[in-house]
Amino acid sequence: MCPPSHDKRASGRRLSPAGHLAIGLIWLYRHSLSLFMGRGCRYAPTCSDYTEQAIRTFGFWAGGWIGLARILRCNPWGASGFDPLPESLPKEAAWYLPWRYGRWTGAHIPQEHRLD
């Protein structure tokens, strides 16, 4: 993953204290629990990378919901494959309808990028 200064979508956005805390918890997960659980993510980029990118790009609230949807999709019955961060937020999403930020199924992943 590119540092935030090299990510063209993340430029200009400052992280809130909640965003910094969330990214710190992701870092802590990567350097502790993840080492014991193994590297078994069904997607590329990994769920922790995806969630960090989402928070850096879209902020804590929207990015957190996008990341949560991805983490919940990462299960044996879910889809798999290459699943990059969306370029923009869905038009139907709003702060008071946060579940609309996430892509809750793998239907958006093209068949040629799927591993399942």
Side-chain angles (χ1 to χ4, degrees):
M1 183 183 102
C2 293
S5 61
H6 298 331
D7 186 351
K8 64 180 179 230
R9 294 181 294 181
S11 62
R13 176 176 283 278
R14 295 199 54 166
L15 281 176
S16 67
H20 282 287
L21 177 64
I23 289 172
L25 291 173
I26 290 169
W27 183 90
L28 190 64
Y29 162 77
R30 284 185 191 151
H31 293 87
S32 61
L33 191 59
S34 176
L35 300 173
F36 296 107
M37 292 177 56
R39 306 287 176 165
C41 192
R42 299 173 52 85
Y43 293 100
T46 64
C47 294
S48 60
D49 286 338
Y50 186 89
T51 303
E52 181 181 350
Q53 288 175 21
I55 291 170
R56 288 188 185 280
T57 303
F58 300 117
F60 173 72
W61 185 249
W65 280 94
I66 291 169
L68 177 65
R70 168 67 175 281
I71 291 166
L72 293 176
R73 279 192 276 135
C74 193
N75 64 69
W77 301 279
S80 63
F82 179 65
D83 179 26
L85 196 63
E87 290 292 322
S88 62
L89 294 174
K91 295 195 185 328
E92 68 275 2
W95 69 268
Y96 54 87
L97 301 170
W99 56 88
R100 292 189 178 175
Y101 289 121
R103 296 186 282 189
W104 300 92
T105 68
H108 64 280
I109 302 173
Q111 193 60 38
E112 62 269 11
H113 295 165
R114 294 177 77 111
L115 299 174
D116 53 5

